[in-house]
Amino acid sequence: MIEIQDVQGTSLRVIVMANRSMSWRQNLYLAATLGFVCLGMAIVLAWFGMWMILPFAGAEVVLIIVCLYLTQRRLSRKEVITVDNEAIRLEWGYNHPEVTVNLPRRWSRLSYSCPESMFEVGHLSVAAHGKRYALGSCLNKDEKRALYTELKSALAR
């Protein structure tokens, strides 16, 4: 998902984030429903003497919650790309920028390679001073192409 903010016509800010189809609350409802079904069946089977199922059912519910949390955390990572008159600022992080890179706009080159295979999304990156930084790792092919077009037009100004 791409959010574009044009700040006073002089700089462009692009926020890139993964498309999260479910919120954390909806994930908890899913986990609660699966836990209710799983533990309900385990309790019924324990009533009939198969009590060894209970610890495994509880572990399964905990594992589902942990996996949903880790997936939601991974999908909450954002990239912020700011292009102004002098520099390109790249920021990556979850709640705040954890990694920040400033590149001189004059020496930066944008590259996008998109193979014709329908299973590949392509590779978008910006390079300066011999270092290359990947952009839009969470985007699909169309979103990556739109990001490339937007950044290319911003760098051409």
Side-chain angles (χ1 to χ4, degrees), residues 52-68:
M52 279 300 292
I53 292 176
L54 277 175
F56 293 105
E60 180 181 2
V61 172
V62 169
L63 183 66
I64 287 172
I65 292 171
V66 167
C67 289
L68 286 173

Side-chain angles (χ1 to χ4, degrees), residues 70-83:
L70 292 175
T71 301
Q72 196 72 8
R73 170 112 170 108
R74 183 169 180 253
L75 292 177
S76 68
R77 183 179 165 96
K78 293 182 183 177
E79 295 178 21
V80 179
I81 306 163
T82 307
V83 179

Side-chain angles (χ1 to χ4, degrees), residues 6-139:
D6 195 3
V7 182
Q8 303 167 353
T10 59
S11 66
L12 177 80
R13 175 175 286 176
V14 180
I15 301 172
V16 178
M17 61 190 116
N19 184 10
R20 295 191 292 180
S21 59
M22 291 176 59
S23 68
W24 177 241
R25 180 171 289 202
Q26 291 169 332
N27 279 321
L28 287 179
Y29 288 147
L30 174 67
T33 303
L34 292 174
F36 180 74
V37 171
C38 180
L39 290 176
M41 290 181 1
I43 290 171
V44 168
L45 290 173
W47 180 263
F48 288 112
M50 293 177 251
W51 57 270
M52 279 300 292
I53 292 176
L54 277 175
F56 293 105
E60 180 181 2
V61 172
V62 169
L63 183 66
I64 287 172
I65 292 171
V66 167
C67 289
L68 286 173
Y69 171 77
L70 292 175
T71 301
Q72 196 72 8
R73 170 112 170 108
R74 183 169 180 253
L75 292 177
S76 68
R77 183 179 165 96
K78 293 182 183 177
E79 295 178 21
V80 179
I81 306 163
T82 307
V83 179
D84 60 15
N85 293 333
E86 298 296 320
I88 300 173
R89 170 178 248 164
L90 307 174
E91 299 171 325
W92 295 275
Y94 291 98
N95 295 328
H96 55 81
E98 295 171 358
V99 177
T100 302
V101 176
N102 290 314
L103 303 172
R105 180 176 173 168
R106 190 173 310 146
W107 296 102
S108 299
R109 299 291 175 250
L110 189 65
S111 67
Y112 177 59
S113 63
C114 182
E116 293 300 320
S117 172
M118 60 190 256
F119 299 110
E120 304 246 353
V121 295
H123 183 73
L124 176 63
S125 64
V126 62
H129 300 301
K131 293 189 178 181
R132 182 174 300 272
Y133 301 96
L135 302 175
S137 61
C138 62
L139 300 178

Side-chain angles (χ1 to χ4, degrees), residues 145-156:
R145 190 174 293 132
L147 178 61
Y148 172 70
T149 304
E150 193 67 37
L151 289 176
K152 187 176 179 182
S153 68
L155 290 174

